[in-house]
Amino acid sequence: MPSNKISVTDLNLYYGHLHALKSINLSIHPQEITAFIGPSGCGKSTILKTLNRMNDLVEGCKITGKVLLDSEDIYGNVDLNLLRKRVGMVFQKPNPFPKSVYDNVAYGPRLHGIKSKAVLDDIVEKALKDTVIWDEVKDRLRDNALGLSGGQQQRLCIARALAVQPEVLLMDEPTSALDPTSTAKIEELVTVLKADYTIVIVTHNMQQAARISDQTACFLMGEIIECNCTNQLFSDPKDRRTEDYITGRFG
Amino acid sequence: MSCRRKFIDKVMIFVPWLCVVVTVIPLISILGYLIYKGSQTLNVAFITQLPKPVGESGGGMANSIMGTGIVVGLAGIFGIPIGVLAGVYLAEFGKHTKLGWIVRFLADVLQGVPSIVIGIVAYTVVVVPMGNFSAYAGAVALAMMLIPFLTRTTEEAILTVPEDIKEAGLALGQPYWRIILGIVLRSARGPILTGIMLAIARIAGETAPLLFTALNNRFWHRGLNGPISTLTVQIYSYAIAPFNDWNAQAWSGALVLILLVTLLNILVRTVARSRYIERS
């Protein structure tokens, strides 16, 4: 059993009066892919956003409990920008900046203080190669990123997140807006990336969770109803509701 | 039935088309008449020489052309940063706050204030304490007209920037102010520039706020802390003068003013477009 990269203890989250997450306990292991599955509105994206405090932006959001990143409480006295540099995020809809492909990837490192053109060039090239999009964009680095296809944009967004060298990568349904080919490319990419990063992925696609993840947590109405290693959870669910969900009886 | 449908279809296309023609006719006729009248006395001397004394023919409005550039430029320097940043405040921080509501309301009211009133205000707060008419006073008056308009335009422009690119910036560990500068303002650049251009065009054509702030001057201005000539005020005084050659020169002044605003507009747009294609 590897030590935990992130451990969540007794986490409760409220949006105003809505109790959106109820007593969540969860361990996320390093160099593994953890998948969150569950029906819409069950809180899986919400928990993902608590891991790099993106929920701070939501008005009326209140959190109790502990989230430890390498045994440091991220809701304690931490530098929010440093936290988000360590815990990167990829969103559901590809959201590149309206800048050139190069500037999209270089944006993060540049603002974190890297000035040298040569170093930036290397970072950009490496990030784009890691996300297997280099060959497709190497001749259009100066073109506007919004001219890329949806799948390319999403891989660019992953490259942008990787360029600041995070330790954890949170992915919020990264393939739900993409076609099957692009989805396959991103899944393949994620399984390669897990060698260097800790990955948490929210997905509506059960097969995707089964294909790529090592650990799966199944959410329902703001609670984790089951969390187990993926093979076990899909082949032999302990909870009746998990079984109903993964066999498609609801959700 | 199908005949009737086709007829309605034709009418529905024809009516908006007719409206376009009706809208464009006054515009074209004003421009056409202006070019016709204005070009008669427009020559190199007009844009390079000072006005000649009464009774002497020839001369030009070089001092007024420069003056308009200076006063409008100063108004831009005072007004554009304040207007844009106030717009940023309204869109990013003042969405649901009381202060935001008040600023928004006041900006709307200020946009409706007659420009002569703004001239009086600038006279009271700048000319009287400083003891003389000046380019500064004129610029303050014009900036007061520019700011509320620009504030609201910038606010609207920023509200169209998708929330998800801000989130993307935050998720990279960027402080919020850098996201506003580097991403939000950048994405909203097109509409904000359009707002700036509209505002500049509008204040460049204002006469009333300048009448007792910048006043007028038949010679080159002596420093910004003194009376300065502007095209609009010069056009005004030449147009109501009882001399035919002055009246004719007023037309040329108007033509020059329109050309200047148009040129500036084209220039700024070309520069802004050349770097990247606009979003959407």
Side-chain angles (χ1 to χ4, degrees), chain A residues 23-45:
Chain A
S23 327
I24 303 288
N25 289 290
L26 183 70
S27 305
I28 291 166
H29 311 134
Q31 271 81 52
E32 274 192 14
I33 300 175
T34 303
F36 293 167
I37 60 171
S40 295
C42 68
K44 55 194 190 305
S45 290

mmCIF file with all atom_site columns, all heavy atoms in Angstrom, chain A residues 23-45:
data_model
loop_
_atom_site.group_PDB
_atom_site.id
_atom_site.type_symbol
_atom_site.label_atom_id
_atom_site.label_alt_id
_atom_site.label_comp_id
_atom_site.label_asym_id
_atom_site.label_entity_id
_atom_site.label_seq_id
_atom_site.pdbx_PDB_ins_code
_atom_site.Cartn_x
_atom_site.Cartn_y
_atom_site.Cartn_z
_atom_site.occupancy
_atom_site.B_iso_or_equiv
_atom_site.pdbx_formal_charge
_atom_site.auth_seq_id
_atom_site.auth_comp_id
_atom_site.auth_asym_id
_atom_site.auth_atom_id
_atom_site.pdbx_PDB_model_num
ATOM 1   N N   . SER A 1 23 ? -19.596 13.917 4.740   1.00 0.00 ? 23 SER A N   1
ATOM 2   C CA  . SER A 1 23 ? -18.570 13.107 5.413   1.00 0.00 ? 23 SER A CA  1
ATOM 3   C C   . SER A 1 23 ? -17.759 12.263 4.444   1.00 0.00 ? 23 SER A C   1
ATOM 4   O O   . SER A 1 23 ? -17.814 11.046 4.475   1.00 0.00 ? 23 SER A O   1
ATOM 5   C CB  . SER A 1 23 ? -19.178 12.155 6.444   1.00 0.00 ? 23 SER A CB  1
ATOM 6   O OG  . SER A 1 23 ? -20.290 12.699 7.023   1.00 0.00 ? 23 SER A OG  1
ATOM 7   N N   . ILE A 1 24 ? -17.038 12.938 3.571   1.00 0.00 ? 24 ILE A N   1
ATOM 8   C CA  . ILE A 1 24 ? -16.238 12.210 2.601   1.00 0.00 ? 24 ILE A CA  1
ATOM 9   C C   . ILE A 1 24 ? -14.890 11.810 3.208   1.00 0.00 ? 24 ILE A C   1
ATOM 10  O O   . ILE A 1 24 ? -14.199 12.636 3.797   1.00 0.00 ? 24 ILE A O   1
ATOM 11  C CB  . ILE A 1 24 ? -15.961 13.097 1.361   1.00 0.00 ? 24 ILE A CB  1
ATOM 12  C CG1 . ILE A 1 24 ? -17.266 13.575 0.719   1.00 0.00 ? 24 ILE A CG1 1
ATOM 13  C CG2 . ILE A 1 24 ? -15.078 12.376 0.356   1.00 0.00 ? 24 ILE A CG2 1
ATOM 14  C CD1 . ILE A 1 24 ? -18.025 12.529 -0.010  1.00 0.00 ? 24 ILE A CD1 1
ATOM 15  N N   . ASN A 1 25 ? -14.551 10.559 3.098   1.00 0.00 ? 25 ASN A N   1
ATOM 16  C CA  . ASN A 1 25 ? -13.217 10.082 3.454   1.00 0.00 ? 25 ASN A CA  1
ATOM 17  C C   . ASN A 1 25 ? -12.626 9.399  2.231   1.00 0.00 ? 25 ASN A C   1
ATOM 18  O O   . ASN A 1 25 ? -13.291 8.563  1.612   1.00 0.00 ? 25 ASN A O   1
ATOM 19  C CB  . ASN A 1 25 ? -13.294 9.088  4.613   1.00 0.00 ? 25 ASN A CB  1
ATOM 20  C CG  . ASN A 1 25 ? -13.658 9.795  5.900   1.00 0.00 ? 25 ASN A CG  1
ATOM 21  O OD1 . ASN A 1 25 ? -12.865 10.544 6.450   1.00 0.00 ? 25 ASN A OD1 1
ATOM 22  N ND2 . ASN A 1 25 ? -14.883 9.588  6.351   1.00 0.00 ? 25 ASN A ND2 1
ATOM 23  N N   . LEU A 1 26 ? -11.417 9.775  1.893   1.00 0.00 ? 26 LEU A N   1
ATOM 24  C CA  . LEU A 1 26 ? -10.886 9.305  0.623   1.00 0.00 ? 26 LEU A CA  1
ATOM 25  C C   . LEU A 1 26 ? -9.374  9.394  0.645   1.00 0.00 ? 26 LEU A C   1
ATOM 26  O O   . LEU A 1 26 ? -8.803  10.338 1.188   1.00 0.00 ? 26 LEU A O   1
ATOM 27  C CB  . LEU A 1 26 ? -11.434 10.214 -0.486  1.00 0.00 ? 26 LEU A CB  1
ATOM 28  C CG  . LEU A 1 26 ? -11.101 9.912  -1.934  1.00 0.00 ? 26 LEU A CG  1
ATOM 29  C CD1 . LEU A 1 26 ? -11.814 8.645  -2.361  1.00 0.00 ? 26 LEU A CD1 1
ATOM 30  C CD2 . LEU A 1 26 ? -11.553 11.068 -2.813  1.00 0.00 ? 26 LEU A CD2 1
ATOM 31  N N   . SER A 1 27 ? -8.719  8.376  0.069   1.00 0.00 ? 27 SER A N   1
ATOM 32  C CA  . SER A 1 27 ? -7.268  8.431  -0.065  1.00 0.00 ? 27 SER A CA  1
ATOM 33  C C   . SER A 1 27 ? -6.917  8.330  -1.536  1.00 0.00 ? 27 SER A C   1
ATOM 34  O O   . SER A 1 27 ? -7.436  7.477  -2.241  1.00 0.00 ? 27 SER A O   1
ATOM 35  C CB  . SER A 1 27 ? -6.623  7.257  0.668   1.00 0.00 ? 27 SER A CB  1
ATOM 36  O OG  . SER A 1 27 ? -7.048  7.257  1.999   1.00 0.00 ? 27 SER A OG  1
ATOM 37  N N   . ILE A 1 28 ? -6.040  9.217  -1.961  1.00 0.00 ? 28 ILE A N   1
ATOM 38  C CA  . ILE A 1 28 ? -5.609  9.186  -3.361  1.00 0.00 ? 28 ILE A CA  1
ATOM 39  C C   . ILE A 1 28 ? -4.126  8.864  -3.390  1.00 0.00 ? 28 ILE A C   1
ATOM 40  O O   . ILE A 1 28 ? -3.322  9.543  -2.748  1.00 0.00 ? 28 ILE A O   1
ATOM 41  C CB  . ILE A 1 28 ? -5.930  10.531 -4.038  1.00 0.00 ? 28 ILE A CB  1
ATOM 42  C CG1 . ILE A 1 28 ? -7.454  10.650 -4.159  1.00 0.00 ? 28 ILE A CG1 1
ATOM 43  C CG2 . ILE A 1 28 ? -5.280  10.611 -5.411  1.00 0.00 ? 28 ILE A CG2 1
ATOM 44  C CD1 . ILE A 1 28 ? -7.942  12.022 -4.478  1.00 0.00 ? 28 ILE A CD1 1
ATOM 45  N N   . HIS A 1 29 ? -3.787  7.798  -4.102  1.00 0.00 ? 29 HIS A N   1
ATOM 46  C CA  . HIS A 1 29 ? -2.420  7.300  -4.070  1.00 0.00 ? 29 HIS A CA  1
ATOM 47  C C   . HIS A 1 29 ? -1.583  7.925  -5.179  1.00 0.00 ? 29 HIS A C   1
ATOM 48  O O   . HIS A 1 29 ? -2.097  8.199  -6.254  1.00 0.00 ? 29 HIS A O   1
ATOM 49  C CB  . HIS A 1 29 ? -2.420  5.775  -4.221  1.00 0.00 ? 29 HIS A CB  1
ATOM 50  C CG  . HIS A 1 29 ? -3.391  5.112  -3.302  1.00 0.00 ? 29 HIS A CG  1
ATOM 51  N ND1 . HIS A 1 29 ? -4.250  4.121  -3.717  1.00 0.00 ? 29 HIS A ND1 1
ATOM 52  C CD2 . HIS A 1 29 ? -3.676  5.338  -2.001  1.00 0.00 ? 29 HIS A CD2 1
ATOM 53  C CE1 . HIS A 1 29 ? -5.009  3.744  -2.705  1.00 0.00 ? 29 HIS A CE1 1
ATOM 54  N NE2 . HIS A 1 29 ? -4.689  4.465  -1.659  1.00 0.00 ? 29 HIS A NE2 1
ATOM 55  N N   . PRO A 1 30 ? -0.290  8.114  -4.909  1.00 0.00 ? 30 PRO A N   1
ATOM 56  C CA  . PRO A 1 30 ? 0.578   8.709  -5.920  1.00 0.00 ? 30 PRO A CA  1
ATOM 57  C C   . PRO A 1 30 ? 0.789   7.778  -7.114  1.00 0.00 ? 30 PRO A C   1
ATOM 58  O O   . PRO A 1 30 ? 0.734   6.555  -6.973  1.00 0.00 ? 30 PRO A O   1
ATOM 59  C CB  . PRO A 1 30 ? 1.887   8.955  -5.165  1.00 0.00 ? 30 PRO A CB  1
ATOM 60  C CG  . PRO A 1 30 ? 1.854   8.028  -4.021  1.00 0.00 ? 30 PRO A CG  1
ATOM 61  C CD  . PRO A 1 30 ? 0.425   7.833  -3.651  1.00 0.00 ? 30 PRO A CD  1
ATOM 62  N N   . GLN A 1 31 ? 1.056   8.381  -8.263  1.00 0.00 ? 31 GLN A N   1
ATOM 63  C CA  . GLN A 1 31 ? 1.303   7.615  -9.498  1.00 0.00 ? 31 GLN A CA  1
ATOM 64  C C   . GLN A 1 31 ? 0.204   6.601  -9.798  1.00 0.00 ? 31 GLN A C   1
ATOM 65  O O   . GLN A 1 31 ? 0.468   5.510  -10.275 1.00 0.00 ? 31 GLN A O   1
ATOM 66  C CB  . GLN A 1 31 ? 2.663   6.911  -9.446  1.00 0.00 ? 31 GLN A CB  1
ATOM 67  C CG  . GLN A 1 31 ? 3.800   7.762  -9.969  1.00 0.00 ? 31 GLN A CG  1
ATOM 68  C CD  . GLN A 1 31 ? 4.298   8.748  -8.946  1.00 0.00 ? 31 GLN A CD  1
ATOM 69  O OE1 . GLN A 1 31 ? 4.617   8.377  -7.839  1.00 0.00 ? 31 GLN A OE1 1
ATOM 70  N NE2 . GLN A 1 31 ? 4.337   10.023 -9.299  1.00 0.00 ? 31 GLN A NE2 1
ATOM 71  N N   . GLU A 1 32 ? -1.009  6.992  -9.479  1.00 0.00 ? 32 GLU A N   1
ATOM 72  C CA  . GLU A 1 32 ? -2.148  6.143  -9.820  1.00 0.00 ? 32 GLU A CA  1
ATOM 73  C C   . GLU A 1 32 ? -3.231  7.021  -10.425 1.00 0.00 ? 32 GLU A C   1
ATOM 74  O O   . GLU A 1 32 ? -3.214  8.235  -10.280 1.00 0.00 ? 32 GLU A O   1
ATOM 75  C CB  . GLU A 1 32 ? -2.714  5.472  -8.566  1.00 0.00 ? 32 GLU A CB  1
ATOM 76  C CG  . GLU A 1 32 ? -2.036  4.181  -8.201  1.00 0.00 ? 32 GLU A CG  1
ATOM 77  C CD  . GLU A 1 32 ? -2.819  3.414  -7.139  1.00 0.00 ? 32 GLU A CD  1
ATOM 78  O OE1 . GLU A 1 32 ? -3.990  3.751  -6.880  1.00 0.00 ? 32 GLU A OE1 1
ATOM 79  O OE2 . GLU A 1 32 ? -2.232  2.483  -6.578  1.00 0.00 ? 32 GLU A OE2 1
ATOM 80  N N   . ILE A 1 33 ? -4.176  6.358  -11.097 1.00 0.00 ? 33 ILE A N   1
ATOM 81  C CA  . ILE A 1 33 ? -5.328  7.103  -11.599 1.00 0.00 ? 33 ILE A CA  1
ATOM 82  C C   . ILE A 1 33 ? -6.525  6.757  -10.726 1.00 0.00 ? 33 ILE A C   1
ATOM 83  O O   . ILE A 1 33 ? -6.865  5.589  -10.575 1.00 0.00 ? 33 ILE A O   1
ATOM 84  C CB  . ILE A 1 33 ? -5.624  6.742  -13.063 1.00 0.00 ? 33 ILE A CB  1
ATOM 85  C CG1 . ILE A 1 33 ? -4.411  7.087  -13.928 1.00 0.00 ? 33 ILE A CG1 1
ATOM 86  C CG2 . ILE A 1 33 ? -6.859  7.471  -13.547 1.00 0.00 ? 33 ILE A CG2 1
ATOM 87  C CD1 . ILE A 1 33 ? -4.557  6.653  -15.367 1.00 0.00 ? 33 ILE A CD1 1
ATOM 88  N N   . THR A 1 34 ? -7.104  7.787  -10.138 1.00 0.00 ? 34 THR A N   1
ATOM 89  C CA  . THR A 1 34 ? -8.317  7.586  -9.345  1.00 0.00 ? 34 THR A CA  1
ATOM 90  C C   . THR A 1 34 ? -9.484  8.131  -10.146 1.00 0.00 ? 34 THR A C   1
ATOM 91  O O   . THR A 1 34 ? -9.428  9.265  -10.627 1.00 0.00 ? 34 THR A O   1
ATOM 92  C CB  . THR A 1 34 ? -8.219  8.333  -8.005  1.00 0.00 ? 34 THR A CB  1
ATOM 93  O OG1 . THR A 1 34 ? -7.052  7.881  -7.324  1.00 0.00 ? 34 THR A OG1 1
ATOM 94  C CG2 . THR A 1 34 ? -9.442  8.085  -7.150  1.00 0.00 ? 34 THR A CG2 1
ATOM 95  N N   . ALA A 1 35 ? -10.535 7.330  -10.304 1.00 0.00 ? 35 ALA A N   1
ATOM 96  C CA  . ALA A 1 35 ? -11.696 7.797  -11.058 1.00 0.00 ? 35 ALA A CA  1
ATOM 97  C C   . ALA A 1 35 ? -12.852 8.050  -10.108 1.00 0.00 ? 35 ALA A C   1
ATOM 98  O O   . ALA A 1 35 ? -13.051 7.297  -9.150  1.00 0.00 ? 35 ALA A O   1
ATOM 99  C CB  . ALA A 1 35 ? -12.097 6.767  -12.108 1.00 0.00 ? 35 ALA A CB  1
ATOM 100 N N   . PHE A 1 36 ? -13.597 9.138  -10.361 1.00 0.00 ? 36 PHE A N   1
ATOM 101 C CA  . PHE A 1 36 ? -14.838 9.401  -9.628  1.00 0.00 ? 36 PHE A CA  1
ATOM 102 C C   . PHE A 1 36 ? -15.982 9.151  -10.592 1.00 0.00 ? 36 PHE A C   1
ATOM 103 O O   . PHE A 1 36 ? -16.052 9.769  -11.650 1.00 0.00 ? 36 PHE A O   1
ATOM 104 C CB  . PHE A 1 36 ? -14.916 10.860 -9.157  1.00 0.00 ? 36 PHE A CB  1
ATOM 105 C CG  . PHE A 1 36 ? -13.907 11.235 -8.102  1.00 0.00 ? 36 PHE A CG  1
ATOM 106 C CD1 . PHE A 1 36 ? -13.704 12.575 -7.799  1.00 0.00 ? 36 PHE A CD1 1
ATOM 107 C CD2 . PHE A 1 36 ? -13.186 10.274 -7.400  1.00 0.00 ? 36 PHE A CD2 1
ATOM 108 C CE1 . PHE A 1 36 ? -12.784 12.948 -6.831  1.00 0.00 ? 36 PHE A CE1 1
ATOM 109 C CE2 . PHE A 1 36 ? -12.267 10.642 -6.429  1.00 0.00 ? 36 PHE A CE2 1
ATOM 110 C CZ  . PHE A 1 36 ? -12.062 11.990 -6.145  1.00 0.00 ? 36 PHE A CZ  1
ATOM 111 N N   . ILE A 1 37 ? -16.874 8.232  -10.226 1.00 0.00 ? 37 ILE A N   1
ATOM 112 C CA  . ILE A 1 37 ? -18.043 8.023  -11.079 1.00 0.00 ? 37 ILE A CA  1
ATOM 113 C C   . ILE A 1 37 ? -19.307 8.263  -10.262 1.00 0.00 ? 37 ILE A C   1
ATOM 114 O O   . ILE A 1 37 ? -19.253 8.373  -9.040  1.00 0.00 ? 37 ILE A O   1
ATOM 115 C CB  . ILE A 1 37 ? -18.073 6.591  -11.689 1.00 0.00 ? 37 ILE A CB  1
ATOM 116 C CG1 . ILE A 1 37 ? -18.104 5.539  -10.583 1.00 0.00 ? 37 ILE A CG1 1
ATOM 117 C CG2 . ILE A 1 37 ? -16.896 6.370  -12.613 1.00 0.00 ? 37 ILE A CG2 1
ATOM 118 C CD1 . ILE A 1 37 ? -18.357 4.137  -11.113 1.00 0.00 ? 37 ILE A CD1 1
ATOM 119 N N   . GLY A 1 38 ? -20.418 8.326  -10.942 1.00 0.00 ? 38 GLY A N   1
ATOM 120 C CA  . GLY A 1 38 ? -21.679 8.557  -10.268 1.00 0.00 ? 38 GLY A CA  1
ATOM 121 C C   . GLY A 1 38 ? -22.608 9.365  -11.140 1.00 0.00 ? 38 GLY A C   1
ATOM 122 O O   . GLY A 1 38 ? -22.161 9.993  -12.100 1.00 0.00 ? 38 GLY A O   1
ATOM 123 N N   . PRO A 1 39 ? -23.901 9.358  -10.827 1.00 0.00 ? 39 PRO A N   1
ATOM 124 C CA  . PRO A 1 39 ? -24.859 10.085 -11.656 1.00 0.00 ? 39 PRO A CA  1
ATOM 125 C C   . PRO A 1 39 ? -24.653 11.602 -11.557 1.00 0.00 ? 39 PRO A C   1
ATOM 126 O O   . PRO A 1 39 ? -23.982 12.084 -10.652 1.00 0.00 ? 39 PRO A O   1
ATOM 127 C CB  . PRO A 1 39 ? -26.211 9.680  -11.082 1.00 0.00 ? 39 PRO A CB  1
ATOM 128 C CG  . PRO A 1 39 ? -25.941 9.196  -9.713  1.00 0.00 ? 39 PRO A CG  1
ATOM 129 C CD  . PRO A 1 39 ? -24.556 8.645  -9.725  1.00 0.00 ? 39 PRO A CD  1
ATOM 130 N N   . SER A 1 40 ? -25.275 12.349 -12.478 1.00 0.00 ? 40 SER A N   1
ATOM 131 C CA  . SER A 1 40 ? -25.152 13.810 -12.467 1.00 0.00 ? 40 SER A CA  1
ATOM 132 C C   . SER A 1 40 ? -25.618 14.375 -11.135 1.00 0.00 ? 40 SER A C   1
ATOM 133 O O   . SER A 1 40 ? -26.595 13.910 -10.566 1.00 0.00 ? 40 SER A O   1
ATOM 134 C CB  . SER A 1 40 ? -26.020 14.418 -13.573 1.00 0.00 ? 40 SER A CB  1
ATOM 135 O OG  . SER A 1 40 ? -25.541 14.025 -14.810 1.00 0.00 ? 40 SER A OG  1
ATOM 136 N N   . GLY A 1 41 ? -24.909 15.387 -10.654 1.00 0.00 ? 41 GLY A N   1
ATOM 137 C CA  . GLY A 1 41 ? -25.325 16.050 -9.428  1.00 0.00 ? 41 GLY A CA  1
ATOM 138 C C   . GLY A 1 41 ? -24.981 15.287 -8.169  1.00 0.00 ? 41 GLY A C   1
ATOM 139 O O   . GLY A 1 41 ? -25.468 15.627 -7.089  1.00 0.00 ? 41 GLY A O   1
ATOM 140 N N   . CYS A 1 42 ? -24.124 14.259 -8.275  1.00 0.00 ? 42 CYS A N   1
ATOM 141 C CA  . CYS A 1 42 ? -23.815 13.475 -7.081  1.00 0.00 ? 42 CYS A CA  1
ATOM 142 C C   . CYS A 1 42 ? -22.663 14.075 -6.301  1.00 0.00 ? 42 CYS A C   1
ATOM 143 O O   . CYS A 1 42 ? -22.345 13.626 -5.212  1.00 0.00 ? 42 CYS A O   1
ATOM 144 C CB  . CYS A 1 42 ? -23.486 12.041 -7.474  1.00 0.00 ? 42 CYS A CB  1
ATOM 145 S SG  . CYS A 1 42 ? -21.950 11.935 -8.396  1.00 0.00 ? 42 CYS A SG  1
ATOM 146 N N   . GLY A 1 43 ? -22.014 15.081 -6.843  1.00 0.00 ? 43 GLY A N   1
ATOM 147 C CA  . GLY A 1 43 ? -20.950 15.742 -6.091  1.00 0.00 ? 43 GLY A CA  1
ATOM 148 C C   . GLY A 1 43 ? -19.547 15.384 -6.540  1.00 0.00 ? 43 GLY A C   1
ATOM 149 O O   . GLY A 1 43 ? -18.581 15.829 -5.938  1.00 0.00 ? 43 GLY A O   1
ATOM 150 N N   . LYS A 1 44 ? -19.413 14.631 -7.618  1.00 0.00 ? 44 LYS A N   1
ATOM 151 C CA  . LYS A 1 44 ? -18.062 14.195 -7.982  1.00 0.00 ? 44 LYS A CA  1
ATOM 152 C C   . LYS A 1 44 ? -17.207 15.337 -8.521  1.00 0.00 ? 44 LYS A C   1
ATOM 153 O O   . LYS A 1 44 ? -16.017 15.421 -8.220  1.00 0.00 ? 44 LYS A O   1
ATOM 154 C CB  . LYS A 1 44 ? -18.111 13.015 -8.968  1.00 0.00 ? 44 LYS A CB  1
ATOM 155 C CG  . LYS A 1 44 ? -18.899 13.245 -10.226 1.00 0.00 ? 44 LYS A CG  1
ATOM 156 C CD  . LYS A 1 44 ? -19.160 11.935 -10.940 1.00 0.00 ? 44 LYS A CD  1
ATOM 157 C CE  . LYS A 1 44 ? -19.745 12.149 -12.325 1.00 0.00 ? 44 LYS A CE  1
ATOM 158 N NZ  . LYS A 1 44 ? -20.972 12.977 -12.347 1.00 0.00 ? 44 LYS A NZ  1
ATOM 159 N N   . SER A 1 45 ? -17.811 16.272 -9.267  1.00 0.00 ? 45 SER A N   1
ATOM 160 C CA  . SER A 1 45 ? -17.030 17.434 -9.715  1.00 0.00 ? 45 SER A CA  1
ATOM 161 C C   . SER A 1 45 ? -16.740 18.354 -8.548  1.00 0.00 ? 45 SER A C   1
ATOM 162 O O   . SER A 1 45 ? -15.681 18.998 -8.488  1.00 0.00 ? 45 SER A O   1
ATOM 163 C CB  . SER A 1 45 ? -17.798 18.212 -10.780 1.00 0.00 ? 45 SER A CB  1
ATOM 164 O OG  . SER A 1 45 ? -17.861 17.472 -11.957 1.00 0.00 ? 45 SER A OG  1
#
